[in-house]
Amino acid sequence: MPRSFILLALTTTLATASPNGGASLWFDKPASDWTDALPVGNGALGGMIFGGTDKERIQFNEQTLWTGDEIKMGAYQPFGDLFIDFPGLSNVTHYRRELDLSAAIHRTTFTANGVNYTREVFSSHPDHVMVIRLSADKPGSISGTFRLTDVHKAQITASANTITASGALDNGLTYQSRILLLPEKGNLSVNGINLTLTNADTATILLGAATDFANSPAQNWRGEKPASKLDRFLTAASKKSIELLRSTHLADHQALFKRVTADFGPSRTDLPTDQRLTAYQKSHDPGLDALFFQYGRYLMIASSRPGGLPANLQGIWNKDLKPAWYSGYTTNINVEMNYWLAEPTNLSECHQPFFDWLKNLATVRKKNTQPAIAAKRGWTAYSTNNPMGGNSTWGIHRPGPAWMTQHLWTHYEFTGDKQFLKSRTYPALKELVEYWEDFLVAGPDGNLISPAGWSPEHGPVKKGDKIVLAEGNRDPQPGASYDQQIVWDLFTNYIDASEELAVDPEYRAKITAMREKLLGPRIGKWGQIQEWMQDVDDPKNKHRHVSHLFAVHPGRQINPVSTPDLAAAAKVSLNARGDGGTGWSKAWKINFWARLADGNHSHKILKGLLAPAPQGGSTHNNLFNSHPPFQIDGNFGSTAGITEMLLQSHVRKNGIYMIDLLPALPDAWKNGSITGLRARGGFGVDLAWSSGRLTKATITSENGGKAYLRASGKIQTLTLPPGGKYDVP
Ligand code: FUC
């Protein structure tokens, strides 16, 4: 074969687009830092896999291991580590560790002394355990010492084939972790608090971790003892073969993950992920964008499942006893951003933990009358909260509940679940509407304003005869745009919800009248959207929060079609704020620019975000987003932003949504496709494009419905019967 042909063939294989953008992260060496390790999770039980050959480390977490209570904030806690020391593994070659996102299985493979080793790790949602499978292609090759450690000085014991660590936190929460070692052949012995295995053919290790946390204020947050939970989980799992454990896990994960496929073009799957990340700034690798998109979905499936807690600031993965910002639920952007992707990327079930947490928070806030946040009707909250309604008292965040309750409305918009709308969304919206009805006052021009607004997390202060914007300032700012826009959103969602349910017409009329009187977005002296009631914005201000553009995203008050002047002013504000910022700040900006129909600007920010963290970017080697430090909001927010670039459906007229196909496709994704996205109104959307133009789209509807469809610049009305399907062209 001529050399040029071989080269061509090689380049084509290396750079061919693969489905899901070649949905794997892989490395040619074990992890040295925590942010090199790869995450697995079953919604509650998470592991960071280091993939060492002679020493494996799995640092694990369970999402309910929290200090604090209904008052005290506490912090999310790491659990411990499983270490396995493998003696005599030398002459290691052919090393690879890989996280396959579509299987949710981590695999380490290598050759040592002529034996091929395979180690698999997955965290099974249906079986409630992490499964570690050690195998080799030569019998008798599996030997190792197993150590379970605990970071809270638990009592650790070993007997027969188990190691157990049991302890309690200072809030009375009891916890336990346990491994069960199931070898095939070989000798197993107890060695103090460790287990030693020699010359087995294979070994399966089941790792469980649990607490007596119950996700219920009515039960005072306590339930079944961890030992009893682990007895159940480990006994049941130990009766299953590895094949059954694996296939059960795969079926569960793939039922969610495989709903969406994404292909944005050539993919440098030939490069280990760390090298790929560095090369990305100079090479054309839209496959990394697709991988990063799918990684957000993977992390959501792994950290947020029905019945559990919502993904916290680090999802479920945390190594620190004192994690940054408690690894909690910060309500002025972070926890909401975590869930922007849930509905449009077809993971609606994963949204549920957020709704349950919000309900619990409301319950605690309403019974626990801290005077600073007392409410006649409805409730309000602080910025940073734990799973039990306890909080940091750093900042009152009055519009937080309204912002979060937007998610209950969004869930209805995407699913059309009327029962949910009636029982969950509507009452939650209504009590907050009442809160704001009580709280709003007449402003200087007779408009309605929030008398004690805020724009996270800075504010104007007087310095001599000048006004400057001070970081962290929380002085009450009457009429701050953030409060005004969120209240507008709340009122609008309430009005739409009451119309959908055909209830409370008089109250709806009253709130509609109030919404008209709300002080709305204003354009200031340099053409910007004013962040404050007074026109004091500083064009040099690069603050990470861009709260005064809530109305652009995730709100729906400003958009290029119905409010073009305000949309243009939003661009002025965004350009002034710049394309930098913390990880989540960049992620938010991807969403803003997509909503403002500038896909190239979105992509430019995505590119900046996808630069390695040590070089000023916001991404770690394992593609965890860096604030810094690691915060998962930027992962989830980027996936949401990429979705907004391809599909939008937030504009609603006469109760009908506009499905906007490829509203902000960047030049970088010349040819591609995405399938399985969801749009408001209960539609499914598949898209394909070539040379930057839409070539095919399929819109489906389970329940039937009407939409305005915007494709290639044309708008048409679409009416689908239940089970209906429409193809473009
Ligand atoms: C808000 C942000 C910080 C950080 C924290 C968790 O307070 O302003 O940047 O993301 O949340």
Side-chain angles (χ1 to χ4, degrees), residues 38 42 190 202 204 266 287 357 499 520 540 548 553 558 572 609 697:
L38 290 166
N42 68 1
V190 177
T202 66
T204 301
W357 170 77
E499 261 167 15
K540 289 196 237 33
H548 54 313
H553 181 277
I558 298 180
V572 171
L609 181 147

Side-chain angles (χ1 to χ4, degrees), residues 313 324-325 330 332-334 383-384 394 457 471 543-545 582 584 627 631 633:
L313 200 59
W325 292 287
T330 303
N332 64 33
I333 178 66
N334 318 82
S383 255
T384 304
W394 178 80
E457 298 180 5
E471 167 65 39
H543 200 272
R544 61 194 176 284
H545 286 268
T582 57
W584 60 254
H627 178 279
Q631 267 183 221
D633 42 18

Side-chain angles (χ1 to χ4, degrees), residues 165-335:
S166 308
L169 301 180
D170 57 12
N171 61 358
L173 189 81
T174 63
Y175 68 87
Q176 186 169 101
S177 61
R178 200 189 298 175
I179 65 159
L180 186 59
L181 176 52
L182 304 165
E184 216 182 317
K185 304 225 176 102
N187 288 315
L188 176 60
S189 57
V190 177
N191 164 6
I193 56 169
N194 301 333
L195 295 177
T196 301
L197 179 66
T198 47
N199 303 118
D201 289 352
T202 66
T204 301
I205 301 109
L206 304 177
L207 167 67
T211 74
D212 63 354
F213 178 86
N215 197 14
S216 156
Q219 278 176 252
N220 215 8
W221 309 102
R222 293 292 179 269
E224 187 182 356
K225 290 287 164 211
S228 149
K229 286 183 188 167
L230 293 187
D231 287 348
R232 287 194 290 118
F233 299 160
L234 291 168
T235 308
S238 68
K239 291 188 181 136
K240 296 187 174 176
S241 68
I242 180 68
E243 288 75 23
L244 184 57
L245 287 167
R246 193 193 290 112
S247 61
T248 310
H249 160 72
L250 269 179
D252 165 72
H253 174 73
Q254 296 192 332
L256 294 165
F257 188 82
K258 288 205 158 174
R259 288 175 186 170
V260 172
T261 66
D263 173 4
F264 301 164
S267 199
R268 295 297 311 268
T269 49
D270 56 308
L271 286 178
T273 305
D274 49 345
Q275 293 172 33
R276 186 174 184 183
L277 193 61
T278 311
Y280 175 79
Q281 295 303 317
K282 291 194 196 106
S283 69
H284 179 59
D285 185 7
L288 185 66
D289 301 335
L291 177 66
F292 197 57
F293 165 82
Q294 286 290 33
Y295 195 41
R297 296 186 64 249
Y298 168 86
L299 293 169
M300 170 88 348
I301 297 168
S303 63
S304 186
R305 291 293 195 103
L309 294 173
N312 64 43
L313 200 59
Q314 299 183 181
I316 48 173
W317 301 277
N318 167 42
K319 65 175 171 27
D320 299 319
L321 288 165
K322 285 190 178 168
W325 292 287
Y326 324 95
S327 197
Y329 301 109
T330 303
T331 58
N332 64 33
I333 178 66
N334 318 82
V335 71

Side-chain angles (χ1 to χ4, degrees), residues 358-402:
L358 186 56
K359 192 174 177 192
N360 287 344
L361 180 64
T363 304
V364 176
R365 285 279 74 85
K366 282 189 264 175
K367 73 178 177 191
N368 173 353
T369 46
Q370 300 187 32
I373 55 166
K376 259 196 287 174
R377 296 185 293 169
W379 61 287
T380 187
Y382 284 88
S383 255
T384 304
N385 304 272
N386 73 19
M388 298 148 282
N391 54 266
S392 140
T393 51
W394 178 80
I396 296 171
H397 182 212
R398 230 171 272 287

Side-chain angles (χ1 to χ4, degrees), residues 24-211:
S24 276
L25 282 73
W26 74 273
F27 296 84
D28 58 4
K29 53 181 179 301
S32 22
D33 292 336
W34 191 81
T35 48
D36 300 331
L38 290 166
V40 296
N42 68 1
L45 177 62
M48 293 293 284
I49 325 295
F50 282 66
T53 52
D54 55 354
K55 178 181 275 190
E56 175 57 292
R57 175 183 178 199
I58 298 175
Q59 186 269 325
F60 63 92
N61 289 94
E62 202 281 335
Q63 67 176 173
T64 64
L65 194 71
W66 267 87
T67 54
D69 50 36
E70 286 193 5
I71 311 277
K72 287 199 275 311
M73 178 66 204
Y76 181 47
Q77 295 295 295
F79 231 104
D81 291 88
L82 169 64
F83 289 103
I84 315 175
D85 298 313
F86 298 97
L89 290 185
S90 49
N91 302 321
V92 173
T93 57
H94 299 92
Y95 178 88
R96 184 179 170 103
R97 67 183 166 101
E98 173 168 12
L99 177 65
D100 175 352
L101 304 187
S102 69
I105 295 179
H106 182 281
R107 232 176 241 113
T108 311
T109 49
F110 60 93
T111 307
N113 300 325
V115 180
N116 297 317
Y117 289 89
T118 302
R119 298 179 186 153
E120 276 184 353
V121 186
F122 54 89
S123 189
S124 168
H125 178 71
D127 284 307
H128 313 281
V129 289
M130 200 181 301
V131 179
I132 300 125
R133 170 73 170 180
L134 310 176
S135 55
D137 66 353
K138 195 175 147 227
S141 304
I142 308 290
S143 297
T145 299
F146 297 76
R147 284 189 289 136
L148 185 65
T149 66
D150 178 273
V151 295
H152 296 97
K153 303 191 183 76
Q155 200 198 350
I156 303 182
T157 54
S159 69
N161 59 355
T162 64
I163 310 178
T164 307
S166 308
L169 301 180
D170 57 12
N171 61 358
L173 189 81
T174 63
Y175 68 87
Q176 186 169 101
S177 61
R178 200 189 298 175
I179 65 159
L180 186 59
L181 176 52
L182 304 165
E184 216 182 317
K185 304 225 176 102
N187 288 315
L188 176 60
S189 57
V190 177
N191 164 6
I193 56 169
N194 301 333
L195 295 177
T196 301
L197 179 66
T198 47
N199 303 118
D201 289 352
T202 66
T204 301
I205 301 109
L206 304 177
L207 167 67
T211 74

